[in-house]
Amino acid sequence: MQTRSRARRAAPIVFLGALSAALSAPAARAQHAGSARPAAGAAPAQLVRESDVRRELTVLADDSMRGRRTGTPGALRAARYIADRMRAIGLEPAGDSGYFQRVPVGELLAPPATPPAPEGARPWPERRLVLIDSTVPDSGVRRLPAVNVVGILRGTDPVLRDSIVLVDAHYDHLGVGAPVNGDSIYNGADDDASGTVAVLEIARAMLHESPPKRTVVFLATTGEETRLLGTRWFLEHPVVPLSRMTANLEIEMIGRPDTAVGPGKAWLTGFDRSTMGAMFRDAGLPVVPDPRPDQQFFQRSDNIAFAKRGIPAHTLSTFGLHGDYHEPSDEASGIDFAHMTRVIDIAARAIHLLANGPAPRWYPGMQP
């Protein structure tokens, strides 16, 4: 999730040399022998297992990922792991290179001057990352490797299969930066390895138990922490027509309960902006309005870019303003896995509603 302040801190990059070998491919998808697959649109059984959630998050938030900073070997290592999981689950690859959608990210060789940090602030040398396109040519920019990871589950309904639901999270974080108590790796277990795991586990639940009527795209983006670079590229080069996209649900920071809501429950940004919130409420899902609208979370994650394109787009979260936000202490040891597993199950049911029920719509005057 992006910081609210304009003068955001950015972790300096520690280059690791040659890219380490990809992590070993995860275990093959679970088989459901002896049981018939439910008909299209059937409500999903609770398939999300805490052991799977724990394993996947522990990998993504491990020190070996070096904080998953956009454009670094650690981020590519994380992307390879996510692609391996999508392959094992059985999603169809939807990038321009298998599951990868290559994002042309570069570092300005002469970054613009930045205002001095507030007194007492931790020093964070700024690396100005940009998309290399017609407005930012190759000259004066050092290219960095960066990818979104995209899989797709085709809809089965003859009428609805051409409409699309997007479920997404960002897998990037801050990388390696100023040490705190001797720890310089900003692992981002909650922000947003938790959401990335949710995307994978929702895909597993839908693929194995409830084939959707609509097509569902599963997206893990890079560059959210640096002005939504990956999402901006995806919108400019969509793998499916944006005109067919009926809804977007971003999953962001669900690893710890929000004391304002309670464990095993979640909140939705912009709840009263579209009919999506009411759809979840009427289905009995424990999803409530964002309890802190003053924090402007609706505007602070990838969903806002889709919302500005007219797509009903919201973020599901349980972030309670814990003190480990954007700190090295945001580690797997701080995750409440029972809570997180329950929230992923809620999110899977929410995506089931979006993929099989009426399309959400903006309330008059509420689209950003």
Side-chain angles (χ1 to χ4, degrees):
M1 185 175 289
Q2 294 188 313
T3 55
R4 189 175 181 182
S5 169
R6 292 181 181 175
R8 58 178 290 109
R9 59 193 185 189
I13 304 302
V14 175
F15 283 98
L16 306 178
L19 178 62
S20 300
L23 295 173
S24 59
R29 77 185 80 161
Q31 300 296 318
H32 298 275
S35 60
R37 190 175 183 184
Q46 182 161 352
L47 283 184
V48 183
R49 298 186 296 259
E50 184 175 325
S51 58
D52 293 331
V53 171
R54 184 183 297 270
R55 181 180 67 252
E56 290 169 346
L57 185 133
T58 300
V59 171
L60 287 171
D62 190 76
D63 281 356
S64 64
M65 298 295 181
R66 308 293 287 176
R68 308 186 308 277
R69 172 75 165 165
T70 298
T72 66
L76 284 183
R77 192 175 299 116
R80 288 179 182 272
Y81 177 75
I82 296 164
D84 281 346
R85 297 304 300 143
M86 288 187 175
R87 183 179 300 109
I89 288 166
L91 290 178
E92 176 186 332
D96 53 41
S97 180
Y99 292 94
F100 295 151
Q101 181 188 41
R102 291 167 289 190
V103 182
V105 170
E107 176 191 6
L108 291 178
L109 298 179
T114 56
E119 185 177 354
R122 195 179 308 150
W124 287 74
E126 175 71 20
R127 290 182 85 237
R128 178 73 173 179
L129 302 184
V130 295
L131 287 176
I132 301 172
D133 55 19
S134 59
T135 63
V136 181
D138 271 315
S139 58
V141 176
R142 183 167 66 90
R143 279 187 174 265
L144 300 173
V147 295
N148 294 327
V149 192
V150 200
I152 193 167
L153 177 58
R154 300 287 177 183
T156 57
D157 185 89
V159 176
L160 297 179
R161 65 189 176 195
D162 289 334
S163 61
I164 295 152
V165 173
L166 174 70
V167 54
D168 68 304
H170 70 93
Y171 72 88
D172 67 302
H173 196 54
L174 300 178
V176 179
V180 178
N181 297 323
D183 187 359
S184 61
I185 299 177
Y186 289 67
N187 301 92
D190 194 19
D191 185 15
D192 190 25
S194 66
T196 303
V197 170
V199 169
L200 295 172
E201 289 303 311
I202 293 167
R204 187 208 303 275
M206 296 197 73
L207 190 84
H208 293 296
E209 289 296 316
S210 182
K213 294 180 180 180
R214 291 188 175 91
T215 292
V216 183
V217 172
F218 298 87
L219 172 65
T221 60
T222 191
E224 191 268 358
E225 302 286 3
T226 48
R227 300 176 307 283
L228 310 183
L229 295 183
T231 293
R232 285 163 50 196
W233 185 257
F234 181 87
L235 284 167
E236 293 167 10
H237 303 84
V239 303
V240 292
L242 296 180
S243 60
R244 297 182 189 169
M245 195 170 288
T246 60
N248 164 230
L249 187 64
E250 164 93 2
I251 316 291
E252 174 96 38
M253 300 185 71
I254 59 168
R256 307 184 189 192
D258 185 346
T259 56
V261 174
K265 300 177 182 179
W267 46 260
L268 189 74
T269 63
F271 191 99
D272 295 323
R273 284 178 174 267
S274 83
T275 59
M276 189 183 296
M279 287 173 59
F280 297 165
R281 180 194 61 214
D282 294 346
L285 297 182
V287 176
V288 301
D290 174 7
R292 302 175 186 85
D294 59 303
Q295 292 289 324
Q296 300 181 356
F297 287 131
F298 181 76
Q299 290 90 354
R300 287 171 55 185
S301 198
D302 293 281
N303 70 282
I304 188 62
F306 293 95
K308 288 181 176 179
R309 296 290 186 106
I311 300 161
H314 302 262
T315 294
L316 189 78
S317 181
T318 68
F319 177 46
L321 305 183
H322 61 71
D324 296 325
Y325 173 67
H326 281 192
E327 297 290 339
S329 50
D330 182 9
E331 300 199 50
S333 59
I335 297 297
D336 182 334
F337 286 101
H339 161 79
M340 180 175 162
T341 301
R342 174 59 183 145
V343 171
I344 294 174
D345 182 71
I346 293 167
R349 295 173 187 277
I351 295 299
H352 166 81
L353 289 172
L354 295 174
N356 296 287
R361 65 184 187 279
W362 295 109
Y363 289 122
M366 299 305 288
Q367 177 189 332

